C-alpha cells in the first residue's frame, strides 16, 4: 500500500489518499527547486496533463523546499517550458514524505530526494517504483506506456510484451483459460505455446 500523508503543496494541504480518490496516481520527486533537469521535467508533465487525465491518472510532484520557493520556481517553469504547473507540487520542507517513501539516498545527499517515481492503482497499491539518477530527466512517455499496460492488465486481462507499443499484439494472461480467451477475444488469438497466446490490443474502458 502507498503510505498516506498530509503535507503542504502549491494547491494547499494535501491529504494524499483523499486527494487520489478512486483515480490512478503518479507521485514523483525532485532533488530540489531551481534545478535545471527538474525544471524541464515539470514543464514536460504540465504539457502532458491531458494524456494523464484521459487515463484517469492524477499526477503530483514533490520537492524538499517550502511553498514560497515552489511558487517562485513555478514562474520560471511557466516562463521557460511553454506550460505552467497544472498539478500540485508537494512542499516537503520537513522531508516527512521523502522519508516515508524512502526518497533520500544518504550516500547521494543527506537532504535532497533522488528522482523517484511511484505509480499507484485506484486501490492505492504501488504498481511501479523507479529511481533515476539526478542528472537524467525521466521519460514520461514511458510512464504513459506503463500506465496503458497496467490498465490493459487490470481491465482487459492482457499483458504487454517486450518493447510493446500501441498497435502491437499483446499477451493473454496465463490465468485466462482457453475457453475464457475465446469469449474475451472474439477476434481470435494465436497460440505459439500453451503459455504464450497473442491477440490484438483490446480497447480499455476502465471496467474490470
Ligand atoms: C538537476 O537538475 O537536478 C541536476 C542536474 C545535473 C546534475 C544533478 C542534478
Amino acid at each position: 500500500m502507498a503510505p498516506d500523508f498530509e503535507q503542504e503543496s502549491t494547491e494547499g494541504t494535501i491529504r494524499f489518499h483523499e486527494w487520489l480518490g478512486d483515480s490512478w496516481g503518479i507521485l514523483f520527486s525532485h532533488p530540489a527547486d531551481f534545478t535545471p533537469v527538474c525544471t524541464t521535467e515539470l514543464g514536460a508533465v504540465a504539457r502532458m496533463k491531458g494524456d494523464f487525465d484521459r487515463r484517469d491518472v492524477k499526477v503530483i510532484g514533490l520537492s524538499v523546499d517550502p511553498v514560497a520557493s515552489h511558487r517562485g520556481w513555478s514562474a520560471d517553469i511557466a516562463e521557460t517550458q511553454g506550460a505552467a504547473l497544472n498539478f500540485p507540487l508537494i512542499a516537503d520542507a520537513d522531508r516527512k514524505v521523502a522519508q516515508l517513501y524512502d526518497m533520500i539516498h544518504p550516500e547521494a545527499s543527506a537532504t535532497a530526494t533522488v528522482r523517484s517515481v511511484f505509480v499507484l492503482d485506484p486501490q492505492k497499491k504501488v504498481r511501479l517504483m523507479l529511481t533515476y539518477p539526478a542528472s537524467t530527466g525521466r521519460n514520461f512517455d514511458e510512464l504513459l506506456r506503463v500506465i496503458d499496460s497496467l490498465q490493459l492488465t487490470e481491465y482487459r486481462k492482457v499483458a504487454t510484451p517486450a518493447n510493446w507499443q500501441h498497435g502491437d499484439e499483446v499477451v493473454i494472461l496465463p490465468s485466462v483459460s482457453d475457453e475464457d480467451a475465446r469469449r474475451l477475444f472474439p477476434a481470435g488469438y494465436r497460440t505459439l505455446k500453451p503459455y504464450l497466446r497473442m491477440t490484438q490490443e483490446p480497447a480499455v474502458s476502465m471496467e474490470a
Side-chain angles (χ1 to χ4, degrees):
M1 285 292 288
D4 198 13
F5 58 81
E6 182 173 313
Q7 187 59 291
E8 295 312 309
S9 83
T10 49
E11 297 187 9
T13 305
I14 297 274
R15 289 177 198 84
F16 189 47
H17 282 193
E18 186 183 312
W19 176 83
L20 282 166
D22 295 327
S23 296
W24 293 72
I26 293 183
L27 168 65
F28 61 113
S29 61
H30 298 277
D33 289 6
F34 300 103
T35 48
V37 174
C38 308
T39 303
T40 64
E41 287 191 321
L42 290 175
V45 174
R47 291 193 300 275
M48 294 166 75
K49 177 77 166 32
D51 295 317
F52 291 108
D53 287 347
R54 271 191 290 287
R55 292 162 171 84
D56 191 27
V57 179
K58 289 188 166 182
V59 289
I60 187 163
L62 176 147
S63 179
V64 289
D65 288 299
V67 169
S69 166
H70 284 4
R71 292 208 195 291
W73 189 27
S74 301
D76 288 359
I77 293 163
E79 182 189 326
T80 62
Q81 301 301 310
L85 271 191
N86 47 19
F87 55 90
L89 187 57
I90 295 166
D92 199 35
D94 62 3
R95 299 178 181 85
K96 181 168 70 182
V97 181
Q99 277 159 7
L100 194 61
Y101 277 80
D102 205 13
M103 292 167 166
I104 293 175
H105 191 304
E107 287 177 27
S109 160
T111 53
T113 42
V114 291
R115 234 175 262 290
S116 301
V117 185
F118 297 86
V119 173
L120 316 179
D121 71 16
Q123 286 73 47
K124 298 166 186 63
K125 285 196 183 139
V126 176
R127 300 290 288 267
L128 170 139
M129 294 190 289
L130 284 173
T131 306
Y132 273 53
S135 53
T136 305
R138 283 160 284 203
N139 183 334
F140 292 94
D141 287 330
E142 168 63 5
L143 284 178
L144 286 179
R145 194 186 76 96
V146 172
I147 293 273
D148 287 346
S149 173
L150 285 169
Q151 293 186 344
L152 278 166
T153 303
E154 189 77 11
Y155 304 121
R156 290 294 174 257
K157 294 187 171 19
V158 292
T160 54
N163 297 328
W164 172 82
Q165 297 289 343
H166 282 295
D168 294 348
E169 282 187 315
V170 294
V171 171
I172 298 173
L173 291 184
S175 57
V176 175
S177 67
D178 282 337
E179 186 187 346
D180 286 344
R182 283 190 285 276
R183 181 174 53 80
L184 289 168
F185 309 104
Y189 60 89
R190 300 187 300 126
T191 303
L192 305 180
K193 292 285 176 189
Y195 60 83
L196 179 55
R197 296 166 298 173
M198 311 297 295
T199 190
Q200 288 167 15
E201 177 188 345
V204 168
S205 65
M206 307 272 177
E207 287 160 22

